[in-house]
Structures are given as C-alpha cells and as structure tokens.
Amino acid sequence: MTDTAAAAPSSYPAWRQFDAGTRIGETVERWLEAERDQLPLWLPVMLGLGVACWFLLPDSRGWAACGLVFLAIGTAGLALGRGGRAWRAIAVGGLAAAVGLGLVWWRAERVAAPVLARPVVATFAGLVVRVEPLAARELVRLTLEDVGAGEGARGAVDLPTRLRVNLQQADVPTGLAEGATVRLRARLMPPPAAAVPGAYDYARVAWFDGIGAIGRGFAPVTILSGAGGGEGLRGRLTRHITARVEGSAGGIAAALATGDVGAIGEEDAEAMRRAGLAHLLSVSGLHITAAVAATMLVVLRLLALSPWLALHVRLPLVAAAAGALAAIGYTLLTGAQVPTIRSCVAALLVLAALALGRQAVTLRLVAAGATIVLLVWPEALAGPSFQLSFAAITAIVAFHEHPRVAAFFGPHEEGRARRFGRGVLSLLATGLLVEAALMPIAVYHFHKAGLYGAVANMIAIPLTTFVVMPLEALALVLDGAGLGAPVWWVVERALGGLLRLAHAVAAAPGSVAALPAMPEGAYALTIGGGLWIALWRTRWRRLGVAPLAAGIIWAAVTPAPDVLVTGDGRHVAVRTARGVAVLRDRAGDYVRDTLAANAGFDGEPLLLTEQADAACSRDLCGVDVVAGGEKRRVLATRSAYLVPAAELIAACRTADIVVSERVLPRRCQPRWLRLDRSTLSKSGGVAISLLRGRIVTVLDPADRHPWRAPPLTAVTDSDGGYRKAYPESAPAWGRSAGDRRRGWRDRGGPSRLRDGSI
C-alpha cells in the first residue's frame, strides 16, 4: 500500500511535465514561424553579444569558457536542428556569439603594440600619418608612426612605434603634411585610463588604434624629409572654407565638407551637444545620404536631357552608380573614419537594393550593415558612435515599418495642408522616438541627456540637409570662377541661425538632464528590452517592456556618488549641499567637466575652498559630507609638499576618508578608507556612495584585457622618468630632501591644525 502510494505521484508529474514541455515547444515553434522574417535581424545582436561578453569578462579563462559555452549551445542546436525552427535559431545564435567573441579577441591580439612604460620628455623622429588642425584650440594634432628610440635627459629612451602629439599652431613648420618625416621634442605619457568610474577610457581606444603614447610637442619641429607636399586635398579644402566663413560657422561648414571639427569653438560645440545637435558635426549617415541624393538627382536630371539616353539606358541605375562613387569619395575626403565608413557601407547597401528593385531601407538592411561593421571592427560595439547610430536607424525603421504607423503616415489622397501637417507630425513623432531611443545610450556614455533635441532637430536637420549643404556645394563650385562670395554669405547666415538655435535650446530651463553613471546591468536590461521591442512583430514583443522598465528604474534609483577621486589622487570632487565641489582651484576644464558629469551634476563645479562646511589650507583640505543623515569627514592633500607627520597623523584619525596623490605614512589611519598613491595605483579612479558604503573603481586586479596590462617599452633611461619629465607637478615622494625643505620655506612653513580642523 505504501509502495503504490509512493509510486503514483512520481509517474503522474512526469507525464504532466512532458505534456507541458511539448505544449511550450509547440507554442515557441508557432511564434517563431510567425516571426520567421525577423529571425535574421538577430544575427548582429548575437555577434554583438559575443563581443560584449569579451569586454565584460576579465581574463582569457573567462573568454575561453564563454566561447566554449556559446559553441556548445550552437552545436547542440545543430544536433537538434531537425526538431524545429527554435533549435536552428539557437544554433545560429550560439555560433554567431562564439564568432563575435573570437573576432574581438583576435582583433585585440592582432593590434598589440608596445605602450610607453612611463612619462618622459624625449627628442625623436617619426613619420606623419595624420594631421588634424584644431583651430579653435590653436593646436595641430599629429599622429606619428615608425618612431624609433628617442633621446631623453640622461640617455636613450625606447618609444612606441605609433604615438599622438599636439603642437601649438605657431610651432608647426611650413610644409608639414602627411608623409613627412619630422624630428621634435615632446613630453609623452602612456594613454590614460578613465579618470573616474564611468569616464572616457582612452586607454582602450588607443589600444585598438595602435597608439602607445600621447603628449605635447615643443618647438623647434624639424622636417627631415617629405616637405613641400602641401596639406592634401582635405586640409586645403578645410582652410579654404574657414577662410570664406569665419568663426564656428566656418568650422561647422568645414565639418560638413571634410569632417574636420577643429575650427568649432568649444562654447559653440558644447551648445550643439546640449541641444542634441552634435550629430550634425560628425560625418554620418545624414551627410552621406545628402551627398548621395544630391549626386543622384543631378546626374539623373543631366542624363535625362538626352532623349536617346532616356530611352535606351537605365538612368536610375547609372545615377545609383554615381551616388555610390560620391559616397566613397566623400568618405575618403572626410578621413575614412570608422563611423563614416559604416555610413558609407549602409549607403552602398541601399543603392544595391535600389539597383535590384528591392525596398531600399529595411531592418534587414540595417542588420546587414551592423553585421559587416562587427565582422571588420568588432571593437566598435563598445563605442558610443556605433550604438547611437544603429539605435537611431533601428528605431526609425522599426517605427515606420509598423503596419499602423505605415498606414497613418503613408500616402493619402488629401490636400496639401493636411499632407504637410501629416509630414510635420511624422517628423515630430520620429524625433521624439529617436530621442527616447538614444537617451539611455547618452546617459550611459555621457551622463547627460537632452530633453528638447527632437524639436531642435526638426529645424536643424532640414536646414542643414536642404539649405546649408547644397549651398555650400554650390559655393565651392562657383569658387572655381571666383563667384562664390554671395553664396558663402548665405551659408554663413544659415549656420549663424543654426548656432543661435543651439544656444537657445541649450540655455532653456531643463534642456539637459544630468545623471550619474548608469550601472552596466541596468544598461544591458535597457538595451535588451529595446531590441526585443524593435525586432519582433507579434504580441510577444510586449515582453520587452519588462526588462526595459527594469533597466530604467534601476538607473533612476542609482544614487550619484558622494565622493569622486581621480586615479592619480590629485583631484577630488565632493557632493555638498550647494552642488559638486572640486578640491583644486586650478583644475583644468577637462578634469572639472569629467568630475561634474560623472557626479550627475549639470553646471560649473564649485570650489571646495569656498564651501562653508570645508576647512582648507594650501596643503590640506577637510570637508564634512552628509549622506542619509550621517556625517562623514573627507581629508585630502592639495599640494605635493609634505605636512609634518604628527599633524598629518592626527588629522587622519579625525577623518573617515583620506585621499592623497603621494604615499601616506603607515600611521595615517582614517576610520574607514585610505586612498593614497599605493592604493590608487591598483584601483584607479574611485567613486564612493556613502549612504550604501559602495565603492566603485576603474581598475580591477583580475582584469587582464590587453590595455590594462600591455607590453611596455624597455626602460633604458635610468634618470629621465616622471620626476625629471614633470618637475613642476612632481609629487613630494619624487623630490629630494632639499627640494622638500625649499618647498616648505617657499610655502611659509607647515599648515596649522586647530581643534581637529585645518
């Protein structure tokens, strides 16, 4: 009796489970059959998943394990592929993810190049492979290759084979151009990692670009060979345009023609960014499309003037070929950067579809473009350019492919007024959708999101596409006969209106929402939910709302950090009652902007020395930070000069967090956290949330990505390192005892601590 009773429940659930599994499998099969046209769209998504896993996992063991998991999933799907469409989709997805992971891993190893071991000042020679004028900053940026050993203060210094140097415009010799070999002296440093968590990680970008050092060059710059070649077509065209149109308007005109944004003033560039118009400054799909469309229109109209050609030749096909040549030529003219190449590839795919008589712009076309880019440049996935451009075009195409949207905004038999109103409504709806789609990406990468960009783009995009670019092209043609001045005047006025629009939108209340760094998990949920909604067509797409909402809520409730510390320990930002305040009064604009943005603060950072709850001397600064009703004391050094040990140790005991750019005495023990040179060299920049006691660091000791532990140049200069290269900012730990004593006398003696305050 007992045996029978025990046996019955075990067999009954098994039958029910088998039946339930069968029904679920049938439901999935029916769903995938209904979505069969959408399945190819997930190929670049799975490729991107593999690439993302390589960036997220820390070392080769994790990469290999993840790749094997993807391969196992893919082979299992192949083995069971005859069982239905679901298994075939799983097979393709698993294998695509494995390919993506393997591609980016191979690419990272393939571009491996030595990185400068330490900051140095050296004299060296190199081949100029790229010249980028930055007129608004009065700089010229050179990318040099084939750089050999340099000469330091005390001997030879090994240098990377490829580096980037900024020169003052006044120091650039006449005739300097790409292909020249130059000799110069420069202060160089390794490509820096992100200053604080969430900031721009140039070390990663430089690794894939093969750049092993960056720095500032000094006069004299000597051209050893290759002089007299001129600036090249791109440089001459940029200089010609900026000579015709002055100021930032000329910089924008040059950017539209050559992709060179160096002549745009920083204030105007910031206004364009805040207004959501920065995409107009980089050559992208909008510019390529305008160039292709204009070329096709002109070629088609000119060829149609011949009756014989109109009757015997497929003129649209000829015009499409001319448009393809225009796209390729425009891409080469503007420097052939990865974003421009990506847009060119997409334009060529559209032209190929037109030539084949297929629908020009579809999600399959977008997926094909994304797949090509990921196969050639898998590292592009991690950059904001790839994410922003493909998110925008995916949102636009998915929106207008929806049957109800297509029916409402499609052709109608109606009057001009209603047709115009429908077009304006379509433009506004598309703009709002794009702003919503791009907002999570902008918050993740830039910690800011524009709120009025949709309205601004309704004016700016037609103005740029249908007025500025055609008139600029006409002016350049007329300049051949010396007749372009009137047209340039109109171009300047149109671009002036664009800048006024940007400043008006940027200055509007609430034009920008500033948020702290978004957690990677929240970002993944948001992107995954958005893709699920965009790429499916049946009611199952609604399931994407759950991860999308979860990611948005997670990001919204993530608190801004209370304390930010840069990786060198020199700069600290603290959240006070009045806003974000920085430690050093003379911090540069880049540092101040980085600290404010990553603290989720929109505005000019305050000075810690001017805050009522801070007590600062020239060498130390203490401030009380209130979080969740609790007060924490932060103590930071403000200079490279030593504080008497007894006073420093006493101050450490009163502080919860101590920050310094140098190594602190062992007896300097705060109540909670000590961030000195030895600690920060392992952690990198630090973000601290006091309420939750959460600490986020830039560096992870387990991270073995190649730019975190790169091959270094040999150190042959025993006495020409950091201390000699940067005497004006060298920390006290790198100075001699005599230097320290002289510094103390120059500073008027030690700091005085009274009652635990400074």
Side-chain angles (χ1 to χ4, degrees):
M1 185 70 176
T2 304
D3 295 339
T4 305
S10 63
S11 60
Y12 179 73
W15 174 80
R16 290 300 300 270
Q17 289 172 7
F18 177 79
D19 183 63
T22 302
R23 285 183 293 170
I24 292 174
E26 292 175 351
T27 301
V28 171
E29 282 297 321
R30 287 195 299 270
W31 167 52
L32 292 179
E33 178 63 26
E35 296 276 14
R36 63 182 182 275
D37 291 337
Q38 305 301 111
L39 290 177
L41 305 180
W42 289 92
L43 178 61
V45 176
M46 298 311 296
L47 278 172
L49 176 62
V51 174
C53 287
W54 185 85
F55 278 106
L56 292 174
L57 294 173
D59 55 24
S60 57
R61 289 182 298 179
W63 307 332
C66 186
L68 290 174
V69 169
F70 286 142
L71 285 175
I73 294 173
T75 53
L78 288 175
L80 301 171
R82 294 182 179 179
R85 191 181 298 274
W87 287 110
R88 293 195 294 272
I90 290 173
V92 174
L95 295 176
V99 169
L101 190 148
L103 274 176
V104 69
W105 191 352
W106 171 80
R107 169 84 171 151
E109 297 295 335
R110 181 174 177 270
V111 300
V115 173
L116 188 66
R118 63 185 185 185
V120 295
V121 171
T123 302
F124 56 91
L127 175 68
V128 179
V129 296
R130 188 173 180 84
V131 180
E132 300 174 79
L134 306 176
R137 298 164 56 188
E138 298 184 350
L139 295 174
V140 174
R141 178 171 294 162
L142 304 181
T143 302
L144 304 173
E145 283 186 352
D146 299 329
V147 177
E151 299 174 4
R154 298 297 181 99
V157 180
D158 275 359
L159 297 176
T161 57
R162 184 182 177 94
L163 49 84
R164 197 189 73 184
V165 175
N166 288 343
L167 292 172
Q168 293 288 339
Q169 280 183 343
D171 297 337
V172 178
T174 303
L176 178 63
E178 296 177 4
T181 300
V182 298
R183 184 174 181 82
L184 71 157
R185 182 171 174 266
R187 182 173 60 191
L188 301 173
M189 63 180 293
V196 293
Y200 179 62
D201 189 356
Y202 182 69
R204 186 196 71 219
V205 177
W207 176 262
F208 286 102
D209 288 341
I211 295 175
I214 62 172
R216 175 67 66 90
F218 310 107
V221 179
T222 305
I223 300 179
L224 302 179
S225 64
E231 302 172 273
L233 177 59
R234 185 185 183 211
R236 292 196 302 271
L237 187 58
T238 296
R239 189 160 50 84
H240 176 83
I241 293 172
T242 53
R244 296 297 186 275
V245 182
E246 297 181 352
S248 292
I252 297 175
L256 296 175
T258 68
D260 188 345
V261 298
I264 304 174
E266 182 56 34
E267 182 179 350
D268 293 319
E270 178 63 18
M272 295 286 285
R273 286 191 289 268
R274 293 176 64 88
L277 304 178
H279 63 94
L280 298 176
L281 305 181
S282 60
V283 177
S284 59
L286 173 66
H287 307 80
I288 296 287
T289 300
V292 170
T295 302
M296 290 182 64
L297 178 64
V298 171
V299 170
L300 192 61
R301 292 299 178 88
L302 289 177
L303 294 180
L305 295 176
S306 169
W308 187 89
L309 289 175
L311 293 174
H312 296 84
V313 179
R314 291 184 59 187
L315 296 186
L317 188 60
V318 176
L325 293 176
I328 296 172
Y330 190 28
T331 300
L332 295 175
L333 176 63
T334 55
Q337 299 298 306
V338 173
T340 314
I341 295 175
R342 184 176 61 243
S343 301
C344 180
V345 169
L348 294 178
L349 290 174
V350 170
L351 293 173
L354 289 174
L356 295 173
R358 305 292 296 273
Q359 186 176 350
V361 182
T362 65
L363 282 177
R364 287 200 174 193
L365 180 68
V366 177
T371 301
I372 292 173
V373 172
L374 290 176
L375 290 176
V376 180
W377 299 285
E379 72 276 9
L381 178 78
S385 176
F386 177 94
Q387 297 173 21
L388 289 169
S389 59
F390 276 104
I393 189 63
T394 299
I396 292 172
V397 176
F399 176 67
H400 286 280
E401 280 189 354
H402 193 282
R404 293 182 181 178
V405 175
F408 182 80
F409 291 120
H412 288 77
E413 292 293 336
E414 56 188 2
R416 292 184 178 180
R418 291 181 63 85
R419 187 164 60 249
F420 177 78
R422 199 180 297 272
V424 171
L425 183 60
S426 173
L427 188 61
L428 178 60
T430 303
L432 291 173
L433 176 68
V434 170
E435 288 295 321
L438 300 187
M439 188 171 293
I441 303 174
V443 171
Y444 179 76
H445 288 284
F446 310 118
H447 317 297
K448 292 181 180 179
L451 302 181
Y452 308 142
V455 178
N457 277 286
M458 286 184 61
I459 303 173
I461 290 178
L463 176 65
T464 303
T465 307
F466 302 115
V467 178
V468 174
M469 293 186 69
L471 287 177
E472 187 173 346
L474 177 61
L476 289 172
V477 172
L478 293 178
D479 275 347
L483 303 175
V487 184
W488 283 120
W489 182 87
V490 179
V491 170
E492 185 172 5
R493 296 301 176 274
L495 290 174
L498 178 65
L499 286 172
R500 286 192 294 273
L501 171 67
H503 282 279
V505 173
S511 61
V512 173
L515 295 171
M518 180 186 292
E520 291 179 345
Y523 187 59
L525 286 173
T526 304
I527 296 300
L531 287 171
W532 189 272
I533 294 172
L535 301 186
W536 295 129
R537 282 292 171 266
T538 63
R539 67 178 185 275
W540 293 97
R541 69 191 302 182
R542 301 169 188 170
L543 295 176
V545 174
L548 178 62
I552 293 174
I553 294 173
W554 186 355
V557 300
T558 299
D562 299 295
V563 181
L564 284 171
V565 181
T566 59
D568 57 6
R570 288 177 52 82
H571 302 283
V572 180
V574 176
R575 183 171 296 279
T576 67
R578 295 175 54 195
V580 173
V582 295
L583 174 67
R584 295 178 183 259
D585 299 351
R586 300 181 63 182
D589 291 340
Y590 175 77
V591 172
R592 296 166 67 87
D593 292 344
T594 298
L595 292 174
N598 287 274
F601 180 71
D602 180 32
E604 180 66 20
L606 309 172
L607 299 179
L608 201 55
T609 53
E610 298 176 355
Q611 305 309 303
D613 48 0
C616 301
S617 71
R618 287 181 293 183
D619 300 309
L620 286 173
C621 195
V623 59
D624 292 327
V625 183
V626 179
E630 296 185 5
K631 183 182 294 185
R632 299 290 182 90
R633 186 164 182 79
V634 179
L635 177 70
T637 60
R638 301 184 67 226
S639 73
Y641 299 97
L642 295 180
V643 177
E647 296 186 3
L648 180 61
I649 292 169
C652 288
R653 291 172 182 167
T654 66
D656 296 283
I657 302 172
V658 176
V659 181
S660 179
E661 64 180 297
R662 56 178 180 265
V663 177
L664 295 172
R666 292 183 180 180
R667 294 174 60 194
C668 174
Q669 294 295 333
R671 291 189 288 260
W672 182 36
L673 185 62
R674 187 173 82 164
L675 299 173
D676 62 354
R677 177 176 170 244
S678 61
T679 303
L680 292 170
S681 65
K682 301 173 184 177
S683 68
V686 178
I688 304 170
S689 297
L690 297 177
L691 182 61
R692 300 183 179 182
R694 184 168 179 261
I695 301 173
V696 181
T697 63
V698 169
L699 303 180
D700 181 355
D703 191 351
R704 291 295 181 267
H705 284 95
W707 56 88
R708 296 296 184 221
L712 301 177
T713 57
V715 180
T716 57
D717 181 3
S718 60
D719 201 19
Y722 183 84
R723 173 166 55 87
K724 296 298 182 182
Y726 300 98
E728 71 282 357
S729 61
W733 46 263
R735 303 186 181 201
S736 66
D739 290 337
R740 296 170 188 165
R741 286 194 294 272
R742 285 191 296 274
W744 275 108
R745 287 197 297 270
D746 294 342
R747 304 283 285 191
S751 304
R752 300 299 181 187
L753 301 175
R754 302 184 183 89
D755 302 326
S757 62
I758 301 172

